[in-house]
Amino acid sequence: QVQLQESGPGLVKPSETVSLTCSVSGGSISGFWWSWFRQAPGKGLEWLGHIHYGGTIRYKPSLGSRLAIVLDTPKNQFSLRLTSVTAADTAVYYCTRTLLDGSADYWGQGILVTVSS
Amino acid sequence: DIVVTQSPLTLSVTPGEPASISCRSSYNLLHSNGHNYLDWYLQKPGQSPQLLIFLGSNRASGVPDRISGSGSGTDFTLKISRVEAEDVGVYYCMQALQTPYTFGQGTKLEIK
């Protein structure tokens, strides 16, 4: 059974950078897409971006150059780095395994990131 | 970006009765390969979302057959033939035809 676990800081100051890691167990990181989503408090789901084992990356354009997703194959992990955060980036961040058809079949439990001074 | 619109936004259903959620896309989600790139997710209270339906009509592993997805192009429907207490939560449709993937607003299903 594939399991994903997000880790990282729960509190980040405005204008700083948040880095989150997703650890994958029970399966290899090879051959799949790996995605990040988020959900602001009381709001709906938002796709942020994904990365393929082969190196292809897609980001949500509205995030501009603030977002980076990196794969660490030897550690079976992937990570998210979001720079210049504001209160609007406060959300629960989820990592997922994503199939070739775009569906996210395994989700982490989510990690709440609060942006506040 | 492709706009995805769900209706209704809330649904109150008596156990054992059917339920239906509509999802409309601003863009044709039928790919030239014959598949509709539309997924359905359920987020139960306090939990992460879980995949219910992929490619418009395919049930994910472990999803009971009383839950079904249908539709093509721009109009899709999620149906629950007999609602049970465990179906409570927020249902989202998501288009996966082109990035950025986009979600509907969500439909909250409550039990009467």
Side-chain angles (χ1 to χ4, degrees):
Chain A
Q1 175 80 341
V2 175
Q3 293 185 316
L4 294 89
Q5 178 70 58
E6 301 91 348
S7 60
L11 180 64
V12 184
K13 290 183 169 54
S15 79
E16 292 189 343
T17 295
V18 60
S19 295
L20 302 176
T21 297
C22 183
S23 299
V24 180
S25 59
S28 173
I29 213 162
S30 306
F32 296 96
W33 291 87
W34 301 92
S35 306
W36 287 96
F37 294 81
R38 70 182 178 183
Q39 186 171 36
K43 303 297 184 183
L45 296 166
E46 179 184 15
W47 177 87
L48 301 180
H50 59 210
I51 185 169
H52 187 257
Y53 165 75
T56 303
I57 307 173
R58 296 285 183 265
Y59 297 128
K60 184 169 184 174
S62 62
L63 293 173
S65 59
R66 294 201 301 131
L67 177 64
I69 298 176
V70 177
L71 208 57
D72 188 338
T73 306
K75 291 186 177 179
N76 233 37
Q77 294 176 340
F78 62 106
S79 62
L80 169 150
R81 186 170 179 267
L82 186 63
T83 63
S84 304
V85 296
T86 69
D89 296 310
T90 294
V92 175
Y93 286 75
Y94 295 101
C95 61
T96 78
R97 189 180 80 169
T98 296
L99 303 179
L100 292 179
D101 58 47
S103 60
D105 63 342
Y106 288 99
W107 293 66
Q109 65 183 31
I111 182 170
L112 174 62
V113 176
T114 301
V115 179
S116 175
S117 55
Chain B
D1 298 0
I2 295 176
V3 177
V4 180
T5 304
Q6 285 181 235
S7 63
L9 298 186
T10 59
L11 203 48
S12 185
V13 185
T14 300
E17 293 297 303
S20 180
I21 301 170
S22 171
C23 179
R24 289 190 169 176
S25 171
S26 64
Y27 192 84
N28 186 349
L29 301 181
L30 177 61
H31 192 275
S32 57
N33 63 13
H35 294 297
N36 284 282
Y37 282 74
L38 189 285
D39 305 321
W40 290 96
Y41 296 87
L42 165 61
Q43 186 172 30
K44 296 183 178 181
Q47 295 186 17
S48 303
Q50 60 185 87
L51 178 65
L52 295 178
I53 302 288
F54 62 96
L55 293 176
S57 59
N58 298 276
R59 271 186 292 273
S61 176
V63 175
D65 58 10
R66 56 192 181 78
I67 293 176
S68 62
S70 63
S72 183
T74 61
D75 291 314
F76 299 86
T77 302
L78 182 76
K79 291 182 179 178
I80 306 174
S81 59
R82 300 174 307 280
V83 169
E84 298 184 2
E86 67 176 21
D87 300 330
V88 164
V90 181
Y91 291 78
Y92 294 94
C93 56
M94 183 193 84
Q95 68 80 18
L97 180 69
Q98 56 182 243
T99 59
Y101 294 167
T102 46
F103 288 87
Q105 312 96 303
T107 296
K108 186 175 184 179
L109 176 67
E110 302 172 335
I111 298 294
K112 279 185 182 176

